[in-house]
Amino acid sequence: MSKELLFGKNPDEIKQIVKELGMPSFTANQIVDWMYKKDITEIAQMSNISSKNRNLLSAKYDFGVELPVKSEESIDGTKKYLYPAGVNRFIEAAYIPDENRSTLCVSSQVGCKMGCLFCMTGKQGFQQHLSAGEIVNQIRSLPERDRLTNIVYMGMGEPFDNPDELMKSLDILTSDWGFGMSPRRITVSSIGIIPAMKMFLDNNQCHLAISMHSPFDEERRKLMPIQHVYSIKDVIDIIKTYNWQGQRRVSFEYIMFKGLNDTDLHAKEMIKLLNGLICRVNLIKFHPIPGTPLEGSDHDTMVKFRDSLSAKGVFSTIRQSRGEDIFAACGLLSTKELIKKGFENQDSEILNY
Amino acid sequence: MIYTNELKKVIVTSNISISANVYLLSFKREFKFKPGQWIAVGLNATDNPRLYSIASGVDNDEVNVLYDIKPDGAITPNLAALKSGDAIYISKPDGSFYCNNGKGWWIAAGTGIAPFRSMLESGMAKNKKLLHGGRYLSSFYFEKEFADVLGENYIRCCSQEKGNAVFEGRVTDYLKDLKQLPSDENYYLCGSSEMVVETRDILVDKGVPFGNIIAEIYF
Ligand SMILES: Cc1cc2nc3c(=O)[nH]c(=O)nc-3n(C[C@H](O)[C@H](O)[C@H](O)COP(=O)(O)OP(=O)(O)OC[C@H]3O[C@@H](n4cnc5c(N)ncnc54)[C@H](O)[C@@H]3O)c2cc1C
Ligand code: SF4
């Protein structure tokens, strides 16, 4: 059986471990430092901890940092990394370098339960929540880590369906004892699971991005089953009760589907819904996925749509598409084939209904 | 809209096991709802509640909730230990997994049958075909009620056991085998994301417009 992992634990948890193993209490801070401030990959490399204590630790724990097992590079410089997440399971993270910023799009789950019609990850079904360590490892083990300026939780999975590990991972990224990143460099993207969204907004200062994709109830239900449970109007009503006057930002993601959600009526309804909220709308080109009944809007329609929103004070941009050729673009991440291979000879737990 | 911790105490009137690891919980109805809606259920007023489709008719005296025990789940093992007279905490009904009276298909996996039981008991089964997927022959909850009303339009798909008049395989296998599917009827899907996503792909592949597919996912 594999050992428990240290990486991803917070100082309180490490203190508890140190106590249980009968180690001097000051070693807790040293271990936390080794995990989040330094570049080692094994407990044996914790050189300021006695070998006796390292052996005690190693008997029960693994350090828990995993390098990506595969990478692909797009012609536009975007890179997609494949990380292991437990036995036979994998996740992807997309590194997107730009002129003056470099963003990593991280995953929060293996697969996803939300079943959005336009999303490859949704087609994979749900296999596993990622632990905080597995989330943060995507950053820690990124070859370009030194150049990284921004993090978006927009990879595989719905972050608010894994709220405890999400919050813990944000804590590691933003705490002084952790990576010490500014919450202004981190955006959590969600389809709007209200109870967890409230917890996030109450306890954290990172930015929020909400996937809207349609302002109309009926239409959004068909694109995103979550609309049956938490409607976009309710999500926005709650967001409006928070303060967006300061540095914290909220944005709305809007994938544009030809003839479906790209009309004047849609723009008008969005303006109505977002009235009074300081926010931004990111219009995204749709990348068709196999078997999809949807098509992307053309560029002119997107420009017109953007201009209608902006003319009414809803600041909108068209997000440049990145990494399409390596399936790293928005909504294209999937590790289903790899997972299926791993389970070929077992009673598949992907399909157990 | 429920998003606060506005949970109200109600008293359990019964909590019976209707199949291995599957329970039907009841309490007195003190609110109105529409078939297809859910309530949040918690074991105390402050805990993070879970959502459950209402599994009983709109005019019934009692509200039913159908659930299966997730062995390492936070709530369901404790729900299963409840006895008549114990308290639970529930939200107002919410959600919009509604069904119209036109011709349509109800497609459920496991406890995803719950909203269709509510629709059945609310007199909405006319014009409907029901596909219910389960692993075992004992997984077809409310079998007799559905069979009595729907007759031939009630199709049980069993993936792990063989049985009389039961299709051998998943609901997705059943649908794949069909030559043609009406493209002008609605398809209501309820259950795990795996079932919903696979079924939706099959329906779209067979020419059903995605706008006719209405899905509730038990996440
Ligand atoms: C709209 C809606 C309606 C619903 N209606 C019903 C219904 O009518 N009947 C019904 O039975 N359910 C229904 N559900 C599901 C229900 O809300 C609960 O999710 C379910 O009962 C499990 O609750 P739990 O607290 O016992 O398990 P949880 O603690 O929430 O765990 C759920 C499952 O996930 C697994 N899990 C948890 N954490 C991890 C992890 N880190 N890694 C891997 N797996 C993990 C657990 O093992 C468990 O099997 C509905 C859900 C929704 C959204
Ligand atoms: S868009 Fe996000 S929430 Fe929807 S299925 Fe894909 S990963 Fe899940």
Side-chain angles (χ1 to χ4, degrees), chain A residues 129, chain B residues 50-53 66-68 72-76 111 218:
Chain A
H129 293 303
Chain B
R50 299 286 191 269
L51 312 187
Y52 295 93
S53 305
L66 173 76
Y67 63 94
D68 57 342
D72 47 358
I75 284 201
T76 46
T111 53
Y218 284 178

Side-chain angles (χ1 to χ4, degrees), chain A residues 141-176:
Chain A
S141 300
L142 182 76
E144 292 81 4
R145 183 178 161 197
D146 292 343
R147 273 172 271 161
L148 199 61
T149 59
N150 294 68
I151 295 169
V152 293
Y153 284 68
M154 220 179 257
M156 298 169 64
E158 162 52 47
F160 290 157
D161 187 42
N162 185 14
D164 295 342
E165 299 302 315
L166 163 74
M167 296 303 285
K168 207 169 152 196
S169 70
L170 294 174
D171 211 23
I172 297 170
L173 293 176
T174 57
S175 294
D176 286 341

Side-chain angles (χ1 to χ4, degrees), chain B residues 83-102:
Chain B
K83 305 237 165 352
S84 162
D86 289 344
I88 50 165
Y89 293 79
I90 62 161
S91 70
K92 289 187 194 135
D94 202 346
S96 60
F97 182 60
Y98 301 144
C99 171
N100 67 21
N101 285 324

Side-chain angles (χ1 to χ4, degrees), chain B residues 175-194:
Chain B
L175 288 166
K176 271 187 220 154
D177 286 355
L178 293 180
K179 286 244 154 46
Q180 241 184 339
L181 282 170
S183 60
D184 55 351
E185 297 182 10
N186 277 344
Y187 295 77
Y188 303 90
L189 280 44
C190 184
S192 67
S193 63
E194 287 78 11

Side-chain angles (χ1 to χ4, degrees), chain A residues 37-185:
Chain A
K37 301 283 184 206
K38 304 206 171 91
D39 234 2
I40 62 163
T41 54
E42 285 171 39
I43 291 172
Q45 293 168 291
M46 297 181 177
S47 55
N48 59 359
I49 294 178
S50 72
S51 64
K52 175 177 151 251
N53 285 334
R54 277 181 279 164
N55 287 340
L56 277 176
L57 267 179
S58 304
K60 261 187 103 174
Y61 298 92
D62 274 331
F63 190 66
V65 163
E66 294 250 28
L67 294 174
V69 289
K70 192 178 158 201
S71 72
E72 284 174 83
E73 182 163 359
S74 155
I75 40 168
D76 67 18
T78 300
K79 286 186 186 162
K80 188 169 78 170
Y81 288 103
L82 185 73
Y83 289 92
V87 183
N88 285 327
R89 288 179 177 165
F90 301 91
I91 44 154
E92 293 179 326
Y95 172 72
I96 310 156
D98 235 325
E99 262 170 37
N100 35 27
R101 60 150 76 187
S102 295
T103 306
L104 187 69
C105 177
V106 296
S107 294
S108 55
Q109 297 178 319
V110 185
C112 182
K113 297 178 200 153
M114 301 302 149
C116 302
L117 182 66
F118 45 82
C119 174
M120 270 306 266
T121 311
K123 282 194 181 239
Q124 170 169 344
F126 172 78
Q127 284 84 47
Q128 181 186 314
H129 293 303
L130 292 189
S131 65
E134 286 165 330
I135 296 174
V136 178
N137 177 59
Q138 296 165 67
I139 297 144
R140 159 80 196 250
S141 300
L142 182 76
E144 292 81 4
R145 183 178 161 197
D146 292 343
R147 273 172 271 161
L148 199 61
T149 59
N150 294 68
I151 295 169
V152 293
Y153 284 68
M154 220 179 257
M156 298 169 64
E158 162 52 47
F160 290 157
D161 187 42
N162 185 14
D164 295 342
E165 299 302 315
L166 163 74
M167 296 303 285
K168 207 169 152 196
S169 70
L170 294 174
D171 211 23
I172 297 170
L173 293 176
T174 57
S175 294
D176 286 341
W177 52 261
F179 289 3
M181 280 184 79
S182 161
R184 310 296 172 208
R185 298 193 171 277

Side-chain angles (χ1 to χ4, degrees), chain A residues 188-259:
Chain A
V188 175
S189 173
S190 166
I191 55 174
I193 296 181
I194 289 178
M197 181 181 82
K198 276 179 60 91
M199 179 177 80
F200 164 80
L201 289 173
D202 287 336
N203 295 301
N204 187 284
Q205 284 303 314
C206 297
H207 301 310
L208 175 68
I210 293 290
S211 302
M212 181 185 302
H213 309 325
S214 173
F216 293 112
D217 253 12
E218 275 296 305
E219 196 172 81
R220 193 169 185 265
R221 272 180 212 145
K222 284 160 190 169
L223 295 169
M224 306 169 75
I226 191 69
Q227 177 74 9
H228 285 300
V229 184
Y230 301 119
S231 77
I232 189 69
K233 182 168 180 315
D234 288 353
V235 170
I236 293 171
D237 281 348
I238 288 170
I239 290 173
K240 282 182 178 171
T241 65
Y242 287 81
N243 178 8
W244 304 97
Q245 310 265 356
Q247 286 188 318
R248 186 182 214 180
R249 287 198 306 261
V250 59
S251 55
F252 292 87
E253 309 292 307
Y254 198 90
I255 303 179
M256 297 202 57
F257 304 108
K258 191 177 198 157

Side-chain angles (χ1 to χ4, degrees), chain A residues 112-118 122-127 161 163 193-195 198 219 221-223 225-230 233-235 237-238 241 260 290-294 336 347-353, chain B residues 1-4 38 48 51 94-98 109-110 133-135 159-160 169-173 192-202 204-205 208-219:
Chain A
C112 182
K113 297 178 200 153
M114 301 302 149
C116 302
L117 182 66
F118 45 82
K123 282 194 181 239
Q124 170 169 344
F126 172 78
Q127 284 84 47
D161 187 42
I193 296 181
I194 289 178
K198 276 179 60 91
E219 196 172 81
R221 272 180 212 145
K222 284 160 190 169
L223 295 169
I226 191 69
Q227 177 74 9
H228 285 300
V229 184
Y230 301 119
K233 182 168 180 315
D234 288 353
V235 170
D237 281 348
I238 288 170
T241 65
L260 183 79
T292 177
L294 304 162
K336 183 174 180 176
D347 177 19
S348 167
E349 54 182 276
I350 299 180
L351 301 170
N352 67 359
Y353 52 88
Chain B
M1 164 161 62
I2 88 116
Y3 55 84
T4 56
W38 49 261
N48 204 356
L51 312 187
D94 202 346
S96 60
F97 182 60
Y98 301 144
R135 302 184 92 179
S159 61
Q160 314 268 313
R170 305 172 200 282
V171 284
T172 40
D173 298 322
S192 67
S193 63
E194 287 78 11
M195 184 285 272
V196 165
V197 164
E198 254 206 275
T199 302
R200 195 173 57 195
D201 276 356
I202 293 165
V204 167
D205 189 52
V208 175
F210 77 86
N212 292 16
I213 305 170
I214 298 122
E216 178 97 305
I217 292 178
Y218 284 178
F219 58 80

